[in-house]
Amino acid sequence: MPFREINSKMIEATVAPGLRLFSQRGAMLAYRGEVSFTPNTQGGQGGVMSMIGRRVADEATPLMTVEGSGTVLFGHGGHHIQVIDLTGDTLYVEADRLLAFDGTLEQGTMFMGSQGGVMGMVRGQVTGQGLFTTTLKGHGSVAVMAHGGVIEVPISPQRPVHVDPQAYVAHHGDVRNKLSSALGLRDLVGRGSGEAFQLELSGSGAVYVQASEEKL
């Protein structure tokens, strides 16, 4: 795996001949060796159709292709970084949370309504995120950004997980999501929008939750 955590807000990536990485533009902090950074216009491993899907979804987060031989330090906005290792499964994550990922991963776009019906579409409206989400599939590593750090919460058929939509970062596995109302004390005392809902994730997998309700 090419990523090594330096601290909670910085990672080091190893770049070698034949190994391609993608990163958010502006995420490079420093590098050593013969490394090139070029704007990516093909939408990653998913090709042109992935790029079109991201633009339809208003998820055209600018990417850089990173190639060569050396090491690169990545970070962005002082956000906390979590490295997620994929072993053939699919990660569902909002595009603006992607810091860097292996070029071997297949990148795509999923319509949230297809994984939660109408409620999946409502989730997009409530969270302020698009109705589409980015998918990364295969064997490799993904570095995602969050506020206040991230915890991985297992999801099992016997134990679904309820998440504040604003705290949701990503999930993987055979997981279904739906939005449900959640009236509670915070709603009674007038906290902000979105807290009358919970995102319910059921099935088998894991969800990544940030320690904040703040968007990137």
Side-chain angles (χ1 to χ4, degrees), residues 152-168:
E152 179 180 0
V153 182
I155 303 168
S156 67
Q158 296 77 24
R159 289 194 172 185
V161 178
H162 296 81
V163 180
D164 186 314
Q166 306 289 358
Y168 169 86

Side-chain angles (χ1 to χ4, degrees), residues 42-51 105-108:
Q42 296 301 311
Q45 190 77 1
V48 175
M49 291 310 296
S50 174
M51 178 183 69
L105 294 172
E106 180 182 348
Q107 185 182 356

Side-chain angles (χ1 to χ4, degrees), residues 3-5 11 81-85 141-144 208:
F3 300 129
R4 181 172 70 92
E5 297 182 4
I11 61 170
I81 301 170
Q82 176 75 26
V83 176
I84 301 171
D85 295 326
S141 299
V142 184
V144 301
Y208 296 89

Side-chain angles (χ1 to χ4, degrees), residues 50-65:
S50 174
M51 178 183 69
I52 293 174
R54 286 166 61 83
R55 293 191 180 279
V56 169
D58 193 26
E59 285 196 347
T61 301
L63 294 176
M64 296 289 290
T65 301

Side-chain angles (χ1 to χ4, degrees), residues 83-97:
V83 176
I84 301 171
D85 295 326
L86 298 180
T87 55
D89 50 342
T90 300
L91 181 73
Y92 302 84
V93 60
E94 303 303 325
D96 60 358
R97 291 190 178 273

Side-chain angles (χ1 to χ4, degrees), residues 15-22 40 44-45 65-68 101-104:
V15 185
L19 175 63
R20 175 185 300 174
L21 301 177
F22 294 103
N40 175 258
Q45 190 77 1
T65 301
V66 184
E67 297 176 290
F101 58 93
D102 271 320
T104 55

